[in-house]
Amino acid sequence: MGIVKIGDDLHEEVRRASAVMCRSINAQAEFWMKIGMLAEANPTACFTDIIRMQLDAAQAGPVPANRATA
């Protein structure tokens, strides 16, 4: 594990997003870094495509809409 220094403004954005997404600040930053890395490696893929590729790679499907609210 390492330390990544980011600016105060970006840290505040990560903090706010982590609260909304129910993730720790570190988990939110890691998620954004991973998605950004995958977006650079797959420049024609949209966010939804990237998430779908990751779910497929993990052999995990999305939760059906009727189960997501249960």
Side-chain angles (χ1 to χ4, degrees), residues 1-67:
M1 180 189 318
I3 295 175
V4 176
K5 291 189 176 194
I6 61 173
D8 291 340
D9 291 343
L10 182 56
H11 186 273
E12 182 60 22
E13 287 183 47
V14 175
R15 186 192 65 73
R16 285 191 302 245
S18 71
V20 172
M21 301 304 292
C22 299
R23 296 182 177 121
S24 69
I25 292 173
N26 287 345
Q28 183 66 40
E30 185 176 346
F31 175 77
W32 280 353
M33 284 187 272
K34 183 174 184 176
I35 295 301
M37 181 181 67
L38 291 167
E40 284 187 343
N42 301 280
T44 60
C46 68
F47 176 77
T48 305
D49 294 336
I50 291 170
I51 296 298
R52 188 175 299 115
M53 288 186 304
Q54 291 299 290
L55 287 170
D56 289 346
Q59 298 181 340
V63 176
N66 61 349
R67 288 187 52 207

